[in-house]
Structure formats: structure tokens, C-alpha cells
């Protein structure tokens, strides 16, 4: 059947990004997709809890018939049966899996469906190798706002490894589809922020984290302390900057035996490095923009601080679903310019 899209799940970085992006694009386009060799290069191949949560979330919004959605499965068939409808949705991950990746999986299809959507996800709000709740709040959603998305986000509870149990909510709407963006030159700094957050830890942890982060952030940049309920114990430090045409955000997670000062220093150092560079977006936003901008009207461009395997992989995958023209111009300083002619 010509409408079928077949995906090699081991391509490129071969991780969960390929699964999430594939089911998101299937929901948008209505094309059924077959994914083989899922996470074949990883120590634990196959679908894990957070991948399954994203698959089922995408399935819920387009009434998909799903085969192979089992823990450890290396093959998946995802067949949408109806158009995506905006509305209110609730999803849950039984473990500390990254709830924000589930939010990103369904956001683009629901936004393009028209109307207002409200999505609530329970699970891990602060996970290694995943965007934190603050990253979506301060970086991802503001970047998409320049493409026409109107969104608000908040977290009522934090979810740290291994307990999870956090809860985040996004309310959003998009009129007339995504518009093209140009993030090749930063322009002037609009605002910057730092956040030191914790659950079930003494207030002194937040105080120490703020003092440590202040060593990396100029005095005029505010640092907020956030303490929210959680089933477990945890802490994190986040810093971000928004320019007229650029966004960057960095997070470091606490762990047992790791002083909050070290957590803050890791975050602050990454923030300083990006601020001193010429790129307009950080390496994570660079790949997260690909899917919505491939579906936008017109030509989008952005300069990333680093061309990653994640970026190459998602561009390859998007090209299997939609006729968007995509290329990367790699520059001598290690940065790169992504150019995408969206298919509207």
C-alpha cells in the first residue's frame, strides 16, 4: 500500500525520538506507519514505558489501531482511523518516564487540528535526556509562539526519578497553522531567567542553589525558587535566555550525594557557553523545531550551536512523511544553519 510509511527504528541515533516523531506525524498526516528494529542499538532494546505512553497518547487523539505496543517490543504498527480533534486529554506514565516528551508528541497534531486543547500528563517532569518542565515553559513554547502558537504551561507537582508522579498541563491553540520562523541572528536579549527547584528538601537547598547559580548569571537576571509537592525527593537548576530571534535553555538534575552547588555549576556553565556563542538556538531546540516547521507555511531557518545526530535523525524521519525540503549548512565554527521549506 503506497500510503504506508516504513521506518527503520535503528536509524541514526536510533532512540525514542524516532518513535515519538513517527506516531506524531502519522496522527497529523493520517498515514499508517510500521516501525521496525525499535531502539535496536540500545542496552535495553524495544519499547519502554515512556515510549508506550507516547504511542498510546498519539493513538488516543487519532483513534489509531495499534499493534505491537508491548513492553520490549521491537516492532510497532500504528494506523490512524480518524482525524485529530482538539479537546481535553489526560495521559499517565506508570513510571518516572518523561511526561514532557508525551506532551511534545501530541502538541503538534492537536495544534494543527484547530481549536483549543488542554493536555494533562502525569509522570516524570525532570528526567535525564529529556526536556524539563521549565524547558517547555521558557524555551520550547515561547519559540513556537513566534510561529503562531498560543500556549500556557504549569506543573502542579514535580516528578523525579525513580518515583515520578509529577503533573504538568498545557493549554494551547493555533490559528491557520504554523508560520515560518527565522532564528539565524539572535537580535537583542528580551529576557533571561534562572530557576532553582526542589521537592521534599530543606529550604536551605534552594538558598544554596540560588547563590551558586548567581555566580554564572548577571545580577539583573532574576532567579526564582520553586518548591512543589512530589511523591519523591529531588532538585534541579535551570537557566534560560530569550532573544528577539533566539532561545536557549539548560538544566542540571540533582541526585543523591551531589551537592546543589555542583548542580548549579553544571547548569550555569552550559548557559555561559551558549550565551558566548553566535548560535540563535540550543542544540535541543534545533531538533525540536523540525517537525512543526516542516508542517509550516514558508521557509524557516535557524542557527544551532551544534549539529547533532538527533537533528539529522528527525530530519530524515520527517522526510518519509511529508514533502518538505530540508538541509543543514554546517559552518566552520561547529554551528549549523537549518533550512526547511515547509509543506503547509
Amino acid at each position: 500500500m503506497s500510503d504506508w510509511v516504513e521506518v527503520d527504528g535503528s536509524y541514526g541515533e536510533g532512540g525514542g525520538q524516532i518513535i515519538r516523531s513517527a506516531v506524531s506525524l502519522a496522527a497529523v498526516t493520517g498515514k499508517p506507519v510500521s516501525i521496525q528494529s525499535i531502539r535496536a542499538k540500545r542496552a535495553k532494546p524495544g519499547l519502554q514505558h515512556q515510549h508506550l505512553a507516547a504511542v498510546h497518547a498519539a493513538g488516543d487523539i487519532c483513534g489509531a489501531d495499534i499493534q505491537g505496543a508491548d513492553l520490549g517490543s521491537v516492532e510497532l504498527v500504528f494506523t490512524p482511523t480518524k482525524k485529530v480533534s482538539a479537546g481535553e486529554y489526560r495521559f499517565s506514565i506508570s513510571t518516572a518516564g518523561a511526561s514532557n516528551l508525551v506532551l511534545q508528541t501530541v502538541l503538534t497534531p492537536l495544534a494543527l487540528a484547530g481549536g483549543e486543547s488542554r493536555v494533562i500528563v502525569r509522570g516524570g517532569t525532570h528526567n535525564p535526556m529529556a526536556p524539563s518542565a521549565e524547558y517547555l515553559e521558557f524555551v520550547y513554547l515561547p519559540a513556537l509562539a513566534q510561529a503562531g502558537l498560543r500556549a500556557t504551561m504549569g506543573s502542579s507537582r514535580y516528578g523525579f526519578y525513580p518515583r515520578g508522579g509529577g503533573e504538568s498541563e498545557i493549554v494551547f491553540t493555533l490559528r491557520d497553522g504554523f508560520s515560518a520562523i527565522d532564528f539565524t541572528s539572535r537580535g537583542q536579549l528580551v529576557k533571561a531567567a534562572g530557576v532553582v527547584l526542589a521537592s521534599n528538601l530543606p529550604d536551605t537547598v534552594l538558598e544554596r542553589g540560588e547563590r551558586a547559580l548567581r555566580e554564572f548569571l548577571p545580577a539583573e537576571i532574576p532567579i526564582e525558587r520553586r518548591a512543589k509537592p512530589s511523591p519523591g525527593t529531588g532538585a534541579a537548576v535551570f537557566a534560560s535566555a530569550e532573544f528577539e530571534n533566539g532561545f536557549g535553555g539548560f538544566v542540571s538534575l540533582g541526585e543523591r550525594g551531589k551537592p546543589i552547588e555542583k548542580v548549579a555549576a553544571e547548569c550555569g556553565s552550559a548557559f555561559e557557553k551558549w550565551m558566548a556563542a553566535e548560535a540563535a538556538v540550543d542544540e535541543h531546540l534545533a531538533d525540536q523545531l523540525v517537525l512543526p516547521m516542516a508542517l509550516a507555511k514558508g521557509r524557516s531557518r535557524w542557527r544551532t550551536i551544534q549539529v547533532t545526530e538527533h537533528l539529522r535523525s528527525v530530519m530524515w524521519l520527517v522526510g518519509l512523511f511529508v514533502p518538505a525540503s530540508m538541509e543543514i549548512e554546517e559552518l566552520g565554527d561547529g554551528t549549523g544553519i537549518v533550512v526547511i521549506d515547509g509543506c503547509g
Side-chain angles (χ1 to χ4, degrees):
M1 184 183 297
S2 60
D3 285 342
W4 276 91
V5 177
E6 296 188 1
V7 175
D8 176 2
S10 68
Y11 180 90
E13 58 87 25
Q17 175 203 40
I18 289 180
I19 305 158
R20 293 185 300 271
S21 299
V23 296
S24 183
L25 284 160
V28 170
T29 63
K31 295 180 180 180
V33 60
S34 172
I35 312 174
Q36 309 293 322
S37 303
I38 293 173
R39 302 179 69 250
K41 303 173 185 176
R42 300 302 169 94
K44 291 178 65 176
L47 296 167
Q48 302 304 310
H49 289 287
Q50 68 181 21
H51 310 123
L52 289 169
V55 168
H56 287 299
D60 284 351
I61 66 174
C62 66
D65 175 55
I66 306 172
Q67 301 173 39
D70 303 303
L71 193 64
S73 174
V74 295
E75 298 181 1
L76 179 75
V77 177
F78 184 96
T79 308
T81 65
K82 65 178 184 180
K83 291 183 177 180
V84 176
S85 297
E88 181 170 326
Y89 296 89
R90 293 175 179 264
F91 308 112
S92 181
I93 306 176
S94 59
T95 65
S99 59
N100 301 311
L101 293 176
V102 176
L103 286 170
Q104 288 185 318
T105 301
V106 299
L107 188 144
T108 293
L110 287 172
L112 291 171
E116 182 177 276
S117 286
R118 177 172 180 249
V119 180
I120 300 170
V121 183
R122 289 181 58 87
T125 57
H126 296 83
N127 306 68
M129 307 301 291
S132 68
E134 292 73 32
Y135 189 88
L136 267 63
E137 177 186 352
F138 287 93
V139 179
Y140 181 68
L141 294 178
L144 289 183
Q146 294 207 21
L149 187 76
R150 296 293 175 263
T152 58
M153 178 179 177
S155 298
S156 58
R157 298 168 62 85
Y158 289 146
F160 298 98
Y161 180 84
R163 297 289 298 276
E167 184 170 289
S168 295
E169 173 183 323
I170 296 183
V171 179
F172 57 93
T173 186
L174 177 70
R175 292 185 179 180
D176 302 322
F178 289 110
S179 56
I181 52 93
D182 191 329
F183 295 158
T184 51
S185 179
R186 287 180 177 179
Q188 296 297 311
L189 179 66
V190 175
K191 61 182 177 182
V195 180
V196 181
L197 59 101
S199 295
N200 302 317
L201 289 171
D203 290 343
T204 53
V205 172
L206 294 175
E207 296 168 2
R208 288 164 45 211
E210 180 181 353
R211 284 198 301 270
L213 184 60
R214 177 56 68 197
E215 296 183 15
F216 298 89
L217 272 58
E220 64 271 17
I221 296 179
I223 299 177
E224 180 183 356
R225 302 180 195 172
R226 292 183 177 181
K228 294 188 179 181
S230 175
T233 299
V237 178
F238 174 82
S240 68
E242 176 180 340
F243 290 82
E244 291 176 311
N245 304 298
F247 299 85
F250 305 89
V251 66
S252 181
L253 304 180
E255 56 186 77
R256 186 178 297 276
K258 184 178 182 180
I260 193 67
E261 289 82 2
K262 183 175 181 181
V263 179
E266 290 176 350
C267 173
S269 296
F271 177 78
E272 278 190 331
K273 179 181 177 181
W274 183 76
M275 289 290 283
E278 294 295 327
V281 305
D282 67 57
E283 65 267 31
H284 305 298
L285 184 60
D287 68 70
Q288 294 171 17
L289 288 171
V290 171
L291 195 154
M293 291 305 99
L295 301 167
K297 307 181 188 77
R299 170 169 289 190
S300 294
R301 304 169 74 239
W302 58 92
R303 185 174 179 181
T304 174
I305 193 171
Q306 181 182 355
V307 177
T308 65
E309 198 64 36
H310 268 78
L311 174 58
R312 297 185 191 279
S313 296
V314 73
M315 291 177 73
W316 165 80
L317 180 70
V318 169
L320 299 179
F321 283 87
V322 297
S325 172
M326 298 174 286
E327 64 179 8
I328 304 173
E329 178 187 352
E330 297 192 52
L331 306 178
D333 61 355
T335 66
I337 296 178
V338 180
V339 181
I340 295 181
D341 290 311
C343 64

